[in-house]
Amino acid sequence: MCRGANWVHSTASNPIVDLARETDTPLHLWEHTTCLIDGEGRVVENLKATDTLRRVWEILDKASKYSGLSSKTIDPDSSLYDFFIDQSDQLLRTGEIDEYERSLLVGMAEMWGAYVGDRTEQQSLKFFFLEDCIEGDDLFIATNYQKIIARIAEVPLSQATVQFQKKVNCVQKRPHSSQGVVVKTSDGEEQGFDEVVVTTPLGWLKHNKGFLDPVTPRLCEAINAVSYGRLEKVFIQFPHAFWDDSPLLPSGKLPEGTLLHGRAPTTPFSRTSFMHWIRPSYATDSNPERWRLETVSLAALPEPLCHPTLLFYTFGDCSTHITSLVHDLSGQARYDALDTFFNPYYSRLPNYIPETCRPVKYLATEWSKDELSGYGSYCNFQVGMKDAANDVMCMRHGMPEHHIWLAGEHTAPFDGLGTLSGAYFSGEEVAKRIAQVYSDGGTSRKPFS
C-alpha cells in the first residue's frame, strides 16, 4: 500500500505511464461504481447515486470552462462551492431535481476536497481552471512506485554523486553571479555548484523563508500566495470485503434472524469502487463538524491485486484533526482512536455485521506533521488569490539570474499542477532551460518579468 501518490493523470504522452509499463507496475482504470450514504446514514438507491455523481461532474466541467473564459472578471472571493449552490438552485427551480436530490448534489460537491486537499468552500472559482488536469483517463497505481523510482534512479545512482542523509539548510547565491551557488547543509558543510535545482515541496519553501538566499520579492510573494493542501490517507483492512458480499440465500430470502447494524441488509453493489458519506448527522461525538468522508475499495482491484481494504482520503480540517488525534499514539491506542472516528461510516455500508466485520488493522499517514513534506500534500488555489497564474509562472521561472531554479508539482504546466506527472515534466523543462543557458552564452538567464 502506497502512502504517497496513487494516481497517474492521463494516458496520453505521459512518461509515468511509460515507466509503469516498462517496469511492470500495474495500472488500473476504475469502473465508477458508487455507494452513496446520505446525511442520515441511509444508503442511496444506486441509480440516484449514479445520477448525482453524473451531475457533479457536469457542474465541475461547467465551472472549469467558466473559470477559464471569465477568470479576469470573477470575484477573487467566489468559491467553487458558491458555483455549485447556484447551479443546484437552478436545477431545483426548473424541477430537474427535488430538495432531497439537491441535498445529495450539494453534499457530493464537497468531494472536490479530496482532489485538492482542502474544502470545496476554499477552492477559488476564479482560478479553478488551474486545477483542470491533463486530459485522458486517470489511472491508479495498484501497488506502489517502487519499481518506477528504481528505474528513474538508475542514471543518477550510476553517473552522479548522491549524498544521502544530508539535510540542506540554505541555497545561497555567491557574491558574484559567475561564481554560482553555495549549498549549506545541517552538518555545517558548504558545497559550491554552478547551478542548483530546488525540488523541495512548496510547503517546505513556505515554512522556511530563509532557505533561498536571496529570494526575489516577486518569488517570495508567489510562494506565499499559492496554497498548500492537507490531503491524508487512512487504510482500513477488514477480514473480508463485506460491502461486496451478499447475505441472501439462493432463494433470494434472508437467513432467519439476520440483522445488519439493526437494519435489514440491502441488495449489495457489485464490487463497489467508490463510497461517499455526505455530511453526517449521526456521528456528532467524534465528528461534530460533520466532515464528509470518501473511500476507494481496494477489493475492487483485479486479481491478484485486490484485498479487503478501504482507502479513505481525508482533507483540510478533517485531516488535521485525525493526524493530531493519533500523532502521539501507537499500538492499540492508535487503533482505538482511529476506529472510534471511522466506525460510524464503514458500519453503514451494505452487509455490515459487527461481530464479523471488525477492522484487522489501520494505517494512517501524517504528512501534515512531516517537516520534509512541507506539512502537507501539494499546491492548490484558494479563494482570495488575485494573480495565481502569474504566481505559478514566477515559481516555474525560478531565479536563473542567481543560478537557482525551481522544479516540482507547483511549477508544472498548468494542466499538470499538483500531480506526479506534472512534477516530472517540470524537471525535464528545467533541464532544457539550463542547457539553453549554456548554449546561448547566458543570454536567456533573465529574471522573471
Side-chain angles (χ1 to χ4, degrees):
M1 293 184 287
C2 188
R3 301 186 191 204
N6 286 122
W7 297 90
V8 179
H9 300 282
S10 174
T11 55
S13 302
N14 190 325
I16 304 300
V17 173
D18 297 336
L19 286 165
R21 289 169 177 161
E22 289 174 18
T23 57
D24 293 323
T25 299
L27 297 171
H28 179 64
L29 179 61
W30 288 106
E31 181 182 347
H32 285 270
T33 50
T34 301
C35 178
L36 177 59
I37 315 293
D38 71 14
E40 302 302 318
R42 300 167 300 201
V43 177
V44 177
E45 188 270 326
N46 193 21
L47 290 177
K48 192 179 291 293
T50 301
D51 189 59
T52 299
L53 191 61
R54 174 186 62 81
R55 291 186 187 277
V56 167
W57 283 110
E58 286 176 353
I59 293 175
L60 285 171
D61 183 60
K62 189 174 183 179
S64 180
K65 291 176 180 176
Y66 172 61
S67 175
L69 292 172
S70 307
S71 180
K72 291 182 179 180
T73 60
I74 296 174
D75 186 336
D77 292 326
S78 293
S79 72
L80 176 62
Y81 191 76
D82 295 332
F83 190 84
F84 262 94
I85 294 296
D86 179 67
Q87 294 295 305
S88 63
D89 284 348
Q90 288 185 36
L91 292 171
L92 182 64
R93 285 195 298 269
T94 58
E96 295 179 62
I97 58 175
D98 58 28
E99 284 285 1
Y100 178 66
E101 290 167 335
R102 180 186 179 280
S103 72
L104 296 179
L105 181 58
V106 172
M108 280 294 287
E110 296 182 15
M111 78 176 196
W112 184 251
Y115 286 82
V116 296
D118 228 310
R119 296 182 304 137
T120 308
E121 293 93 331
Q122 290 296 111
Q123 168 66 58
S124 168
L125 180 62
K126 185 179 183 69
F127 295 109
F128 183 51
F129 71 94
L130 293 177
E131 304 285 8
D132 192 14
C133 284
I134 306 166
E135 292 185 1
D137 293 323
D138 292 337
L139 302 178
F140 187 85
I141 297 285
T143 52
N144 55 51
Y145 278 89
Q146 183 176 1
K147 293 180 180 179
I148 294 175
I149 292 173
R151 176 61 62 84
I152 294 173
E154 286 177 359
V155 171
L157 289 176
S158 63
Q159 300 183 27
T161 300
V162 181
Q163 301 178 39
F164 295 103
Q165 301 299 318
K166 282 274 192 178
K167 183 179 177 182
V168 177
N169 287 343
C170 181
V171 176
Q172 186 177 58
K173 181 185 81 71
R174 283 176 165 167
H176 301 288
S177 60
S178 60
Q179 295 179 334
V181 183
V182 172
V183 173
K184 299 179 180 181
T185 53
S186 58
D187 58 6
E189 188 175 357
E190 297 185 4
Q191 301 179 49
F193 299 91
D194 295 326
E195 313 286 338
V196 171
V197 181
V198 177
T199 62
T200 61
L202 173 62
W204 170 268
L205 296 176
K206 293 172 81 70
H207 281 89
N208 295 272
K209 302 300 184 185
F211 185 73
L212 301 177
D213 182 21
V215 58
T216 63
R218 182 63 185 92
L219 179 57
C220 184
E221 180 185 6
I223 291 170
N224 290 334
V226 177
S227 312
Y228 201 54
R230 293 174 288 168
L231 186 73
E232 300 283 358
K233 299 178 183 179
V234 179
F235 297 86
I236 311 179
Q237 185 177 11
F238 293 88
H240 58 101
F242 63 86
W243 52 92
D244 285 334
D245 294 343
S246 175
L248 302 178
L249 296 173
S251 64
K253 296 181 179 180
L254 297 173
E256 185 177 354
T258 298
L259 284 177
L260 305 184
H261 205 56
R263 302 186 300 274
T266 61
T267 301
F269 301 103
S270 177
R271 293 178 66 83
T272 305
S273 300
F274 300 94
M275 304 165 194
H276 300 266
W277 290 261
I278 289 176
R279 295 175 58 86
S281 62
Y282 47 83
T284 53
D285 289 343
S286 57
N287 185 4
E289 300 296 328
R290 298 182 63 192
W291 295 305
R292 57 97 61 198
L293 276 297
E294 71 176 70
T295 189
V296 175
S297 171
L298 303 186
L301 290 170
E303 295 282 358
L305 301 169
C306 58
H307 47 99
T309 302
L310 295 179
L311 165 53
F312 280 83
Y313 290 94
T314 66
F315 55 86
D317 292 340
C318 182
S319 288
T320 300
H321 170 75
I322 293 172
T323 53
S324 299
L325 188 70
V326 303
H327 180 61
D328 296 320
L329 301 179
S330 60
Q332 189 63 42
R334 187 179 178 93
Y335 175 101
D336 290 343
L338 288 167
D339 198 56
T340 297
F341 185 86
F342 284 98
N343 175 272
Y345 312 108
Y346 68 71
S347 64
R348 280 171 169 78
L349 292 175
N351 313 319
Y352 173 76
I353 302 174
E355 293 76 17
T356 61
C357 301
R358 183 173 174 78
V360 175
K361 58 184 176 182
Y362 280 85
L363 174 64
T365 64
E366 295 186 34
W367 297 116
S368 60
K369 296 287 187 180
D370 189 297
E371 177 192 14
L372 298 182
S373 74
Y375 302 105
S377 49
Y378 43 80
C379 72
N380 60 35
F381 304 93
Q382 298 188 11
V383 292
M385 295 190 69
K386 296 179 173 60
D387 201 15
N390 276 316
D391 290 332
V392 171
M393 288 191 288
C394 178
M395 292 192 294
R396 186 187 298 153
H397 187 82
M399 298 185 291
E401 71 276 20
H402 298 326
H403 298 245
I404 298 172
W405 313 74
L406 302 185
E409 52 81 20
H410 51 292
T411 70
F414 286 148
D415 60 356
L417 289 166
T419 71
L420 185 82
S421 302
Y424 190 100
F425 284 130
S426 77
E428 287 190 326
E429 183 60 27
V430 164
K432 293 175 184 176
R433 290 174 59 208
I434 293 175
Q436 178 63 33
V437 163
Y438 281 84
S439 68
D440 64 19
T443 59
S444 59
R445 196 187 290 278
K446 298 177 180 178
F448 179 76
S449 59

